[in-house]
Amino acid sequence: IVGRVTDSQKGEPLPDANVIVRGTNWGAATDVQGNYTIAEIPPGKYIVSVSLMNYEPSSSSELNVKENAIVVLDFKLKFSKVEPIELK
């Protein structure tokens, strides 16, 4: 599974986003261009999720990964303003 994670408004790449295959230990972080690669996933049906601080998390619909095939999955994340927590 390969793809790119970008900001939905500006289209800018989002480095250091966490991309995981749900229910597994497989995942990757995006590079400075927002690209990621999760290699050697056995054939099957999977859901991929992405998260990054200050952005709303996102998930794919169910993907059908086939043997020796590349699945391209891009995400556009929506900025979510984080309110500061007031410590008492």
Side-chain angles (χ1 to χ4, degrees):
I1 301 173
V2 300
R4 189 165 194 237
V5 180
T6 56
D7 181 288
S8 66
Q9 296 275 324
K10 300 176 184 176
E12 295 173 349
L14 296 175
D16 300 319
N18 293 311
V19 185
I20 60 162
V21 180
R22 277 203 207 159
T24 74
N25 292 325
W26 303 314
T30 56
D31 65 16
V32 293
Q33 285 87 31
N35 297 313
Y36 71 92
T37 300
I38 306 172
E40 299 183 23
I41 297 175
K45 295 183 186 300
Y46 302 100
I47 294 175
V48 178
S49 296
V50 62
S51 61
L52 179 64
M53 193 163 68
N54 297 329
Y55 284 86
E56 293 179 8
S58 182
S59 294
S60 70
S61 54
E62 191 173 74
L63 300 176
N64 188 13
V65 176
K66 297 180 181 174
E67 193 166 350
N68 298 321
I70 295 174
V71 176
V72 177
L73 181 60
D74 295 332
F75 288 94
K76 294 181 187 303
L77 298 186
K78 184 178 178 185
F79 183 77
S80 176
K81 183 177 178 186
V82 175
E83 296 296 326
I85 298 172
E86 187 175 316
L87 300 176
K88 294 182 180 183

